[in-house]
Amino acid sequence: MRTDTPVTVYRKDYQPYPYDIPHVALAFDLAPEATEVRCVMQVQRKADASADAALVLDGEDLELVSVAVDGQPLAADRYHQSEHSLALYGLPADASVEIVSRCKPAANSTLMGLYVSGGNFFTQCEAEGFRRITWFADRPDVMSRYRVTLRAEPAYPVLLSNGNLVASRQLPDGRNEVEWEDPFPKPCYLFALVAGNLTHRETTVKTASGRDVLLQVYSDPGAETKTEWALDSLVRALRWDETRFGLELDLDRFMVVAVHDFNMGAMENKGLNIFNAAYVLADAETATDANYEGIESVIGHEYFHNWTGNRVTCRDWFQLSLKEGLTVFRDQEFSADMMAQDMDEAAAASARAVKRIDDVVTLRAAQFPEDAGPMAHPIRPDSYQEIGNFYTATVYEKGAEVIRMQHTLLGEAGFRAGMDEYFRRHDGQAVTCDDFVAAMESVYVRQHPGRDLAVFRNWYRQAGTPRVTVKLEHDAATRRVTVTLSQDCQPVGVEKKAPAGFVKAPYHIPFAIGLLDREGRALPLRHEGAERETALLELTTQTQQWHFDGIDALPVPSLLRDFSAPVIVDYDWTDAELALLSAHDSNPFARWEAGQELATRQILSLADARQAGRTLHADPAFIDAWRALLTDPSLDAAYRARALALPSEKTLAERMQAVDPPALAVARDFLRAELGRQLAAEFRQAFDDNQTPGEYSPAPVPAGKRALKNLALSHLMAAGEHEAQRLAEQQYEHAGNMTDSMAALSALINYGQGEFPQQALAAFYDKWQDNALVVDKWFALQAAARYTTVQTARELMKHPAFTLRNPNRARALVFQFCLNNARGMHHPDGTGYAFWAEQVLALDALNPEIAARLARALDNWSRFVPALRTPMQAALQQVRGHEGLSRNVQEIVSKALE
Ligand code: SER
Ligand code: ZN
């Protein structure tokens, strides 16, 4: 049994490490059953450290073979090994410490440290995986230069590590040996090695300063036909970082390797990024538009980490958002720039809005619930039990919003100046979020004499989603509009346990606003010496007022344009005002938002009716608003597909007093079908007008057409039109790409009649059974299907292709069912929750990090309707009571039950 006692670590307890470890030499004798690792560290006591400071190293699941100092075996009384640490005493101020240990890669199902996947060796060290490879100071503020020797049988011809290849030879015993040297000091979480039988695609490009650099993408033999998009994306990312941020690749060689067993999306190891294959492999036949977009964005993300994460890294893991929030912001901007390139101004603005909408949809579905639940934490947490549990939507996505607000406050040029200053001050260091804000502030105070970012720092200190209440008054005599903004943020998560008298401080909220007259025309706003359609109000106290003059009548406000801050807006628009904004707002984001608010009201009122047992009716005014959007010729297809998408159950749930997912699912389904019936002709027209014949391209314009066409198809199918099924069958049989194929198959299995849908599903598997990523799609489609019950999910788990050991497969079936199948999961008989508990425990025995992610599916149980709340609580208690639970899962379920 594991003895995984949870220990809480606090940010305030940070202490510098007493030793520097400037150099590390690692030698690996790679073998799946037992790999021997020799680690030679140059260890130097810091000048200000006490002379008797022990050298305390971390280790997990390692067998210690030997310890030596300066070439001599260390006497047994000079070191002490406990469960997770090794302490060495009485070291000279400058010593060479050699530790030999063994680990077991083939038996490592945690996918942290060194493990085997598909017969090859891979590593994952962030956050604390390096301690599963060798005893080391496993913390990001210890930075070392690495020299790595890899020795392996010829069955592993490709041997990779960070930096540059400096030697390669065959050993007398027939094994191969290579040496890699990374010229840049790095924390151990950025260490990586890959060994195995791999193929690659490569290209050489010239950097801005004229250096030739080799870019390579490695994959399983046979998959080299699917790495072109990833390699092209890498070239685009390299160029973009040079152009937009003046940041150049600092290595001669940059490698990306695809692996099928991986806990996260990808990892930015210096010069050797290791990727979940789902974010590398793509071709038209097997990857969807969303897959292409995801690959480009994750390739960008990991590449951008080379500066924001690797050159400047985190002092401790509480600072995770320093690199993640910033790098997500950078990848979002990269994607937006790629989508908008080669477009005219209006099309580019729409493409950017589409990207912004997609990012905000993600934030609201994943981060807002987190910020309102038991795991709520500031983007820079104050404590954790298991850092693996803090790779969250808050640290990443809200963290990116906090960076974006600084970008908004400083402007593009100001932000760039702040970034330059950040690198000037901190290149080569391990720093804090405060250091980042200080660099930005140095620019902000020059731009805005008398102001600073003191209040802004509360975004890093406090959790929860602030609520901004808006009041609008008009004085006819003075033709003046007065806007009053008030903010409020209730204590959440750990803040609720704060001592009495704890009051949250106000935030610095950049709040973009526009005003429309009653015909929908934009009113010019005079603000801070300029006249514009959009005014950026900086709310820094609890309540503030602004005046706008020369306005004849009470206008309709367009609020939080472009989602200028991660807040919830309270303003009581009438439905007619929302319809006006939805039809006329010149800010495409706010225009989308108005339509979404209308749809939200509509679905919530349908869910109410459903709960009260009343007949469901759609409001004709809502149908009219949707018709207007669907048929507006000025809107491109990608934008229309977003504008017409019904808000997700996760977003809607945040608006319910007591969450009732099945009622929401029924309401959404009803509305989808009703729209399909009442707008049948318009949807059919959109379906016909947005076909994309010819060769497949994942570019935004054809992808947008497919999105709209397939949205139309789903409405027509939901409405039960016979003709629609014919269209879906035809599309399925003739689809030239995976997007159309999946969309048709999804519509068919969810709404189709007769035998075709299930036959198509079976044929789909037969066709793609050798492609793991497509088989994942096949499982995911069924796991989320309307007809899928717990029983169906259990049957699917018996399929020979199913395994919990592969995280992508577990996500495709188990996570998909538990997180996205409202009816099957949230059944009042509690069988969905019992299934969840079983799977959490089964996964925990294999891979605690993945188990803890699934555990979070019941975070917000206390906000559900009583009939669901009770069995949810019981399931959580069952998991908490299980003996031998990992500390990862313990932290999640105990916080949920607190
Ligand atoms: N550092 C990694 C990333 O976000 C963790 O998955 O890119
Ligand atoms: Zn990242």
Side-chain angles (χ1 to χ4, degrees), residues 126 266-268 301-302 305 308 320 323-325 327-328 331 391 396:
E126 188 178 4
M267 180 63 213
E268 70 265 24
H301 181 98
E302 306 309 329
H305 267 314
T308 51
L320 182 56
K323 73 178 178 80
E324 294 305 343
T327 306
V328 171
D331 84 52
Y391 285 72
Y396 277 65

